[in-house]
Amino acid sequence: DQQYMYASVSIDRDFQNETYTAIESFAANQLGPVQVRLGGSVAANLQINDQVKKDLKKAETLSFPILAILLLLFFGTLVAALTPLALGGLSIFAALFMMRLLSEITPISSYAINIVTLLGLGLAIDYSLFMVARFREELAKHGDVEVAVAITVNRSGRTIIFSGVTVAISLLSLLVFPQTLLRSLGLGGATVVLSTVLLTLTLLPAALRIIGYRINKLPVLRRRIAQPTTETSGFWYRFSQFVMRNAAVVFILVSLLLLAIASNFRFVTFSSPGLNDAPEVLASRQVNDILTNNFHANTEPVIIMLRQSAPVLNLNSLRDLAKYTNQIKSLPGVTSVDSLASHLPFNATGDVGNFKISSVLLSQYSSGGYSKITVYQQNPSQSAAAKQLIRDIKNIALQPGDTMYVGGISAQLVDLLHSLAAHLPVALLIIFSATCILIFLLTGSIVLPIKAILLDLLSLFTALGIITWVFQRDTGGIIPVDSTGSINAIAAILVFTVAFGLSADYEFFLLSRVKEEYEKSKDNTHSVAFGIQQTAGIITAAAILFVAVIGMFMTSKIPTLQQIGLGLAAAVFIDATLVRLLLVPSAMRLLGRANWWTPPSLAKFYRKFGIDH
């Protein structure tokens, strides 16, 4: 339309950041009234990194005042509310410090810094919330600060250790994946979780010993969640008894609801990080859209490097190259193919007349024994049709001794999905094994770990179903995000592993109180109701606080961070409400005494190595 023109610039990989900065400065200062936008993969990576830093600062700025207000509502006194917030602030410093040290050892993704920082903040507030609530409960019961601190550390402290180890192992399972983002998040996240546990079990008890009775000073509200009640008179005790009286109906109805939401996940279309991850406000995204819409230019072609057994200029090699070029050109979705053979006078039968290959032409299409084939397609590079084209190219029969390497955005996505699928079973085995072992050591049961894993999976797939519905379908503006038409495959893995660890987190806090009471009463129904009465308010408060922290990712302009934020927030909310308050008590009521069953050989092992409350 006579309004746009573009230039394509190749940049040396070793100096790409410096060169990009120089080009950016040149465009801003020397091109006068011409409006210039810089795009491409180098520009997109740097622009997205800058946006991620801005989003992190914004999320932290918004989260602290919201957390302060919520903590005041939950605790009712200013001193009790500020204690978890102070530990949360320290956890951010610890997270950034640990990530800085790790960056000297291994590459750290900017996404990982975002996620790990807010994860450390959320867990620190979670753990300190449980510790402060238990301290106030024991202080009201015994009237002695030192006794209250000792019991708090002994009971809630060891549960926090189990919980933190479970979350850390879930994150460490990401190390089985070769992708930098997953590995850096796994290593950084596990380090930050363990340092948060250490802060909670050392600094916080010391602070509680110093604060003592002043924990209840400066009251703001009369009514608060974190106040002790007798186990048979509280709302949550009566609520859980009602749920268990109607256990079968509650379990079936809630399960069907969650399965219906989770069913959206079967429509998922996976994508990989790229220009699609750049919000519309970034120049790289605008450049990509202009090239696509105004020039009808596919800026992400498929690049093939062909290694042949004979030298490139061998006549048979050239004939084979022409054959491969024609085969690729005939595949669905291909608009054109450019290779050395495209510039030679081969006819359809493979015959060739006299020709001479210039050194310039040869250098453009051949180097180091490899021939370059560029494939332009009409399909969006991350579409199902583009992925099928990659599979079709890889299925082309080659001559003996020839090797074909397929690259480009579409090929990277196919390889990424294949890699994730290949490594996911190992990661799941690590997570499930660790969860089973730790819950067994806590409860002495082999039934409760299996129950926990099944219910956690239900809540996780429900969360994945929600983000599939939100980001792949038009929600009509109900949730203010741009529909990307796909889910970042790495974001889905992150949501699954991190949310599973968090679900186990709440499971430990509930089961520890249920087990504690069951050892006294041997009454399964009463013990479940007691455990829910003692933990439901705190778990609900912790979940709300965590959602307030991690939900700040929804304020980001980066779709991947939005997907992670919504997925984790949904998983935690569903787990703390529908699963923990409805499915867990109804399932434990239906199982009855079978909840506590274990084979005699394992029972002997538990008596020797299990956790005695």
CSV table of all heavy atoms in Angstrom, one decimal, residues 498-537:
chain,number,residue,atom,x,y,z
A,498,VAL,N,4.6,-27.5,39.2
A,498,VAL,CA,4.6,-26.6,40.4
A,498,VAL,C,3.3,-26.8,41.1
A,498,VAL,O,3.3,-26.9,42.4
A,498,VAL,CB,4.7,-25.2,39.9
A,498,VAL,CG1,4.6,-24.2,41.1
A,498,VAL,CG2,6.1,-25.0,39.3
A,499,ALA,N,2.1,-26.9,40.4
A,499,ALA,CA,0.8,-27.0,41.1
A,499,ALA,C,0.7,-28.3,41.8
A,499,ALA,O,0.1,-28.4,42.9
A,499,ALA,CB,-0.3,-26.9,40.0
A,500,PHE,N,1.3,-29.4,41.3
A,500,PHE,CA,1.3,-30.7,42.0
A,500,PHE,C,2.0,-30.6,43.3
A,500,PHE,O,1.5,-31.1,44.3
A,500,PHE,CB,1.9,-31.8,41.1
A,500,PHE,CG,1.7,-33.2,41.6
A,500,PHE,CD1,0.6,-33.9,41.1
A,500,PHE,CD2,2.4,-33.7,42.6
A,500,PHE,CE1,0.3,-35.1,41.6
A,500,PHE,CE2,2.2,-35.0,43.1
A,500,PHE,CZ,1.1,-35.7,42.6
A,501,GLY,N,3.2,-29.9,43.3
A,501,GLY,CA,3.9,-29.7,44.6
A,501,GLY,C,3.1,-28.9,45.6
A,501,GLY,O,3.0,-29.2,46.8
A,502,LEU,N,2.4,-27.9,45.1
A,502,LEU,CA,1.6,-27.0,46.0
A,502,LEU,C,0.4,-27.8,46.5
A,502,LEU,O,-0.1,-27.6,47.6
A,502,LEU,CB,1.1,-25.8,45.2
A,502,LEU,CG,2.2,-24.8,44.8
A,502,LEU,CD1,1.7,-23.7,43.9
A,502,LEU,CD2,2.9,-24.2,46.0
A,503,SER,N,-0.2,-28.6,45.7
A,503,SER,CA,-1.4,-29.5,46.1
A,503,SER,C,-0.9,-30.4,47.2
A,503,SER,O,-1.6,-30.6,48.2
A,503,SER,CB,-1.9,-30.3,45.0
A,503,SER,OG,-2.5,-29.4,44.0
A,504,ALA,N,0.3,-31.0,47.1
A,504,ALA,CA,0.8,-31.9,48.1
A,504,ALA,C,1.1,-31.0,49.4
A,504,ALA,O,1.0,-31.5,50.5
A,504,ALA,CB,2.1,-32.5,47.6
A,505,ASP,N,1.4,-29.8,49.2
A,505,ASP,CA,1.7,-28.9,50.3
A,505,ASP,C,0.5,-28.8,51.2
A,505,ASP,O,0.5,-29.1,52.4
A,505,ASP,CB,1.9,-27.5,49.7
A,505,ASP,CG,2.4,-26.5,50.8
A,505,ASP,OD1,3.0,-26.9,51.8
A,505,ASP,OD2,2.2,-25.3,50.6
A,506,TYR,N,-0.7,-28.6,50.7
A,506,TYR,CA,-1.9,-28.5,51.5
A,506,TYR,C,-2.4,-29.9,52.0
A,506,TYR,O,-2.9,-30.0,53.1
A,506,TYR,CB,-3.1,-27.9,50.7
A,506,TYR,CG,-2.8,-26.5,50.2
A,506,TYR,CD1,-3.2,-26.0,49.0
A,506,TYR,CD2,-2.1,-25.6,51.0
A,506,TYR,CE1,-2.9,-24.7,48.6
A,506,TYR,CE2,-1.8,-24.3,50.7
A,506,TYR,CZ,-2.3,-23.8,49.4
A,506,TYR,OH,-2.0,-22.6,49.0
A,507,GLU,N,-2.0,-30.9,51.2
A,507,GLU,CA,-2.4,-32.3,51.7
A,507,GLU,C,-1.6,-32.6,53.0
A,507,GLU,O,-2.2,-33.2,53.9
A,507,GLU,CB,-2.0,-33.3,50.6
A,507,GLU,CG,-2.4,-34.7,50.9
A,507,GLU,CD,-3.9,-35.0,50.6
A,507,GLU,OE1,-4.5,-34.1,49.9
A,507,GLU,OE2,-4.3,-36.0,51.0
A,508,PHE,N,-0.3,-32.2,53.0
A,508,PHE,CA,0.5,-32.5,54.2
A,508,PHE,C,-0.1,-31.8,55.4
A,508,PHE,O,-0.2,-32.4,56.5
A,508,PHE,CB,1.9,-32.1,54.0
A,508,PHE,CG,2.7,-33.1,53.3
A,508,PHE,CD1,3.2,-32.9,52.0
A,508,PHE,CD2,3.1,-34.3,53.9
A,508,PHE,CE1,3.9,-33.8,51.3
A,508,PHE,CE2,3.8,-35.2,53.3
A,508,PHE,CZ,4.3,-35.0,52.0
A,509,PHE,N,-0.5,-30.5,55.3
A,509,PHE,CA,-1.0,-29.8,56.4
A,509,PHE,C,-2.3,-30.4,56.9
A,509,PHE,O,-2.6,-30.5,58.2
A,509,PHE,CB,-1.2,-28.3,56.1
A,509,PHE,CG,0.1,-27.6,56.1
A,509,PHE,CD1,0.7,-27.2,54.9
A,509,PHE,CD2,0.7,-27.2,57.3
A,509,PHE,CE1,1.9,-26.5,54.9
A,509,PHE,CE2,1.9,-26.5,57.3
A,509,PHE,CZ,2.5,-26.2,56.1
A,510,LEU,N,-3.2,-30.8,56.0
A,510,LEU,CA,-4.5,-31.5,56.5
A,510,LEU,C,-4.2,-32.8,57.1
A,510,LEU,O,-4.7,-33.1,58.2
A,510,LEU,CB,-5.4,-31.6,55.3
A,510,LEU,CG,-6.7,-32.4,55.5
A,510,LEU,CD1,-7.5,-31.7,56.6
A,510,LEU,CD2,-7.5,-32.4,54.2
A,511,LEU,N,-3.5,-33.7,56.4
A,511,LEU,CA,-3.3,-35.1,56.8
A,511,LEU,C,-2.5,-35.1,58.2
A,511,LEU,O,-2.7,-36.0,59.0
A,511,LEU,CB,-2.6,-35.9,55.8
A,511,LEU,CG,-3.4,-36.3,54.5
A,511,LEU,CD1,-2.6,-37.1,53.6
A,511,LEU,CD2,-4.7,-37.0,54.9
A,512,SER,N,-1.6,-34.2,58.4
A,512,SER,CA,-0.8,-34.2,59.6
A,512,SER,C,-1.8,-34.0,60.8
A,512,SER,O,-1.6,-34.7,61.9
A,512,SER,CB,0.2,-33.1,59.6
A,512,SER,OG,-0.3,-31.8,59.5
A,513,ARG,N,-2.8,-33.1,60.7
A,513,ARG,CA,-3.7,-32.9,61.8
A,513,ARG,C,-4.7,-34.1,61.9
A,513,ARG,O,-5.1,-34.5,63.0
A,513,ARG,CB,-4.5,-31.6,61.6
A,513,ARG,CG,-3.6,-30.4,61.6
A,513,ARG,CD,-2.8,-30.2,62.9
A,513,ARG,NE,-3.5,-30.1,64.1
A,513,ARG,CZ,-3.7,-28.9,64.7
A,513,ARG,NH1,-3.2,-27.8,64.1
A,513,ARG,NH2,-4.4,-28.8,65.8
A,514,VAL,N,-5.1,-34.6,60.7
A,514,VAL,CA,-6.0,-35.8,60.8
A,514,VAL,C,-5.3,-37.0,61.4
A,514,VAL,O,-5.9,-37.7,62.3
A,514,VAL,CB,-6.4,-36.2,59.3
A,514,VAL,CG1,-7.2,-37.5,59.3
A,514,VAL,CG2,-7.3,-35.1,58.7
A,515,LYS,N,-4.0,-37.2,61.0
A,515,LYS,CA,-3.3,-38.3,61.6
A,515,LYS,C,-3.0,-38.1,63.1
A,515,LYS,O,-3.2,-39.1,63.9
A,515,LYS,CB,-1.9,-38.4,60.9
A,515,LYS,CG,-0.9,-39.4,61.5
A,515,LYS,CD,-1.4,-40.8,61.4
A,515,LYS,CE,-0.3,-41.8,61.9
A,515,LYS,NZ,-0.7,-43.2,61.8
A,516,GLU,N,-2.8,-36.9,63.5
A,516,GLU,CA,-2.5,-36.6,64.9
A,516,GLU,C,-3.7,-37.0,65.7
A,516,GLU,O,-3.6,-37.5,66.8
A,516,GLU,CB,-2.2,-35.1,65.0
A,516,GLU,CG,-1.8,-34.6,66.4
A,516,GLU,CD,-1.5,-33.1,66.3
A,516,GLU,OE1,-1.1,-32.6,65.3
A,516,GLU,OE2,-1.6,-32.5,67.4
A,517,GLU,N,-4.9,-36.7,65.2
A,517,GLU,CA,-6.2,-37.0,66.0
A,517,GLU,C,-6.5,-38.4,65.9
A,517,GLU,O,-7.0,-39.0,66.9
A,517,GLU,CB,-7.3,-36.1,65.5
A,517,GLU,CG,-8.6,-36.2,66.2
A,517,GLU,CD,-8.5,-35.8,67.7
A,517,GLU,OE1,-7.6,-35.0,68.0
A,517,GLU,OE2,-9.4,-36.1,68.5
A,518,TYR,N,-6.3,-39.1,64.7
A,518,TYR,CA,-6.6,-40.5,64.6
A,518,TYR,C,-5.8,-41.3,65.5
A,518,TYR,O,-6.3,-42.4,66.0
A,518,TYR,CB,-6.4,-40.9,63.1
A,518,TYR,CG,-6.9,-42.3,62.8
A,518,TYR,CD1,-8.2,-42.6,62.7
A,518,TYR,CD2,-5.9,-43.4,62.7
A,518,TYR,CE1,-8.6,-43.9,62.4
A,518,TYR,CE2,-6.4,-44.6,62.5
A,518,TYR,CZ,-7.7,-44.9,62.3
A,518,TYR,OH,-8.1,-46.2,62.1
A,519,GLU,N,-4.6,-41.0,65.8
A,519,GLU,CA,-3.8,-41.8,66.7
A,519,GLU,C,-4.4,-41.7,68.1
A,519,GLU,O,-4.2,-42.6,68.9
A,519,GLU,CB,-2.4,-41.2,66.7
A,519,GLU,CG,-1.6,-41.5,65.5
A,519,GLU,CD,-0.2,-41.0,65.5
A,519,GLU,OE1,0.1,-40.1,66.4
A,519,GLU,OE2,0.7,-41.4,64.7
A,520,LYS,N,-5.1,-40.6,68.4
A,520,LYS,CA,-5.8,-40.5,69.8
A,520,LYS,C,-7.1,-41.3,69.8
A,520,LYS,O,-7.4,-42.0,70.7
A,520,LYS,CB,-6.0,-39.1,70.1
A,520,LYS,CG,-4.7,-38.3,70.2
A,520,LYS,CD,-5.0,-36.8,70.5
A,520,LYS,CE,-3.8,-35.9,70.5
A,520,LYS,NZ,-4.1,-34.5,70.6
A,521,SER,N,-8.0,-41.0,68.8
A,521,SER,CA,-9.3,-41.5,68.9
A,521,SER,C,-9.6,-42.8,68.1
A,521,SER,O,-10.6,-43.4,68.4
A,521,SER,CB,-10.3,-40.4,68.3
A,521,SER,OG,-10.0,-40.2,66.9
A,522,LYS,N,-8.8,-43.1,67.1
A,522,LYS,CA,-9.1,-44.2,66.2
A,522,LYS,C,-10.5,-44.1,65.5
A,522,LYS,O,-11.0,-45.1,65.1
A,522,LYS,CB,-9.0,-45.5,67.0
A,522,LYS,CG,-7.6,-45.8,67.6
A,522,LYS,CD,-6.5,-45.8,66.5
A,522,LYS,CE,-5.1,-46.0,67.1
A,522,LYS,NZ,-4.1,-45.9,66.1
A,523,ASP,N,-11.0,-42.9,65.4
A,523,ASP,CA,-12.3,-42.6,64.8
A,523,ASP,C,-12.0,-41.9,63.5
A,523,ASP,O,-11.7,-40.7,63.5
A,523,ASP,CB,-13.2,-41.8,65.7
A,523,ASP,CG,-14.6,-41.6,65.2
A,523,ASP,OD1,-14.7,-41.6,63.9
A,523,ASP,OD2,-15.5,-41.4,66.0
A,524,ASN,N,-12.2,-42.6,62.4
A,524,ASN,CA,-11.9,-42.0,61.1
A,524,ASN,C,-12.7,-40.7,60.8
A,524,ASN,O,-12.1,-39.7,60.4
A,524,ASN,CB,-12.1,-43.0,60.0
A,524,ASN,CG,-11.7,-42.5,58.6
A,524,ASN,OD1,-10.6,-42.2,58.2
A,524,ASN,ND2,-12.8,-42.2,57.8
A,525,THR,N,-14.0,-40.8,60.9
A,525,THR,CA,-14.9,-39.7,60.6
A,525,THR,C,-14.6,-38.5,61.5
A,525,THR,O,-14.5,-37.3,61.0
A,525,THR,CB,-16.4,-40.1,60.8
A,525,THR,OG1,-16.6,-41.2,59.9
A,525,THR,CG2,-17.3,-39.0,60.4
A,526,HIS,N,-14.5,-38.7,62.8
A,526,HIS,CA,-14.2,-37.6,63.7
A,526,HIS,C,-12.8,-37.0,63.4
A,526,HIS,O,-12.6,-35.8,63.4
A,526,HIS,CB,-14.2,-38.1,65.1
A,526,HIS,CG,-13.5,-37.2,66.1
A,526,HIS,ND1,-14.0,-35.9,66.5
A,526,HIS,CD2,-12.3,-37.3,66.7
A,526,HIS,CE1,-13.2,-35.3,67.3
A,526,HIS,NE2,-12.1,-36.1,67.5
A,527,SER,N,-11.8,-37.8,63.1
A,527,SER,CA,-10.5,-37.3,62.8
A,527,SER,C,-10.4,-36.5,61.6
A,527,SER,O,-9.7,-35.4,61.5
A,527,SER,CB,-9.5,-38.5,62.7
A,527,SER,OG,-9.4,-39.3,63.8
A,528,VAL,N,-11.1,-36.9,60.5
A,528,VAL,CA,-11.2,-36.1,59.3
A,528,VAL,C,-11.8,-34.7,59.6
A,528,VAL,O,-11.4,-33.7,59.2
A,528,VAL,CB,-11.9,-36.8,58.2
A,528,VAL,CG1,-12.2,-35.9,57.0
A,528,VAL,CG2,-11.2,-38.1,57.8
A,529,ALA,N,-13.0,-34.7,60.3
A,529,ALA,CA,-13.7,-33.5,60.7
A,529,ALA,C,-12.8,-32.6,61.5
A,529,ALA,O,-12.7,-31.4,61.4
A,529,ALA,CB,-15.0,-33.8,61.4
A,530,PHE,N,-12.0,-33.2,62.5
A,530,PHE,CA,-11.1,-32.5,63.3
A,530,PHE,C,-10.0,-31.8,62.5
A,530,PHE,O,-9.7,-30.6,62.7
A,530,PHE,CB,-10.5,-33.4,64.4
A,530,PHE,CG,-9.4,-32.8,65.2
A,530,PHE,CD1,-9.7,-32.0,66.3
A,530,PHE,CD2,-8.1,-32.9,64.8
A,530,PHE,CE1,-8.6,-31.4,67.0
A,530,PHE,CE2,-7.0,-32.3,65.5
A,530,PHE,CZ,-7.3,-31.6,66.6
A,531,GLY,N,-9.4,-32.6,61.6
A,531,GLY,CA,-8.4,-32.1,60.8
A,531,GLY,C,-8.8,-30.9,59.9
A,531,GLY,O,-8.1,-29.9,59.7
A,532,ILE,N,-10.0,-31.0,59.3
A,532,ILE,CA,-10.5,-29.9,58.5
A,532,ILE,C,-10.9,-28.7,59.4
A,532,ILE,O,-10.6,-27.6,59.0
A,532,ILE,CB,-11.8,-30.4,57.7
A,532,ILE,CG1,-11.4,-31.4,56.7
A,532,ILE,CG2,-12.5,-29.3,57.1
A,532,ILE,CD1,-12.5,-32.0,55.9
A,533,GLN,N,-11.4,-28.9,60.6
A,533,GLN,CA,-11.7,-27.8,61.4
A,533,GLN,C,-10.4,-27.0,61.8
A,533,GLN,O,-10.4,-25.8,61.8
A,533,GLN,CB,-12.3,-28.3,62.7
A,533,GLN,CG,-12.5,-27.3,63.8
A,533,GLN,CD,-13.3,-26.1,63.4
A,533,GLN,OE1,-14.3,-26.3,62.8
A,533,GLN,NE2,-12.9,-24.9,63.9
A,534,GLN,N,-9.3,-27.8,62.0
A,534,GLN,CA,-8.1,-27.1,62.4
A,534,GLN,C,-7.3,-26.5,61.3
A,534,GLN,O,-6.5,-25.6,61.5
A,534,GLN,CB,-7.2,-28.1,63.1
A,534,GLN,CG,-7.8,-28.7,64.4
A,534,GLN,CD,-8.1,-27.6,65.5
A,534,GLN,OE1,-7.2,-26.7,65.7
A,534,GLN,NE2,-9.2,-27.7,66.1
A,535,THR,N,-7.6,-26.9,60.1
A,535,THR,CA,-6.7,-26.4,58.9
A,535,THR,C,-7.5,-25.7,57.8
A,535,THR,O,-6.9,-25.0,57.0
A,535,THR,CB,-6.0,-27.6,58.3
A,535,THR,OG1,-6.9,-28.6,57.8
A,535,THR,CG2,-5.1,-28.3,59.3
A,536,ALA,N,-8.8,-25.9,57.7
A,536,ALA,CA,-9.6,-25.4,56.6
A,536,ALA,C,-9.5,-23.9,56.5
A,536,ALA,O,-9.2,-23.3,55.4
A,536,ALA,CB,-11.1,-25.8,56.7
A,537,GLY,N,-9.6,-23.2,57.6
A,537,GLY,CA,-9.5,-21.7,57.6
A,537,GLY,C,-8.1,-21.3,57.2
A,537,GLY,O,-8.0,-20.3,56.3
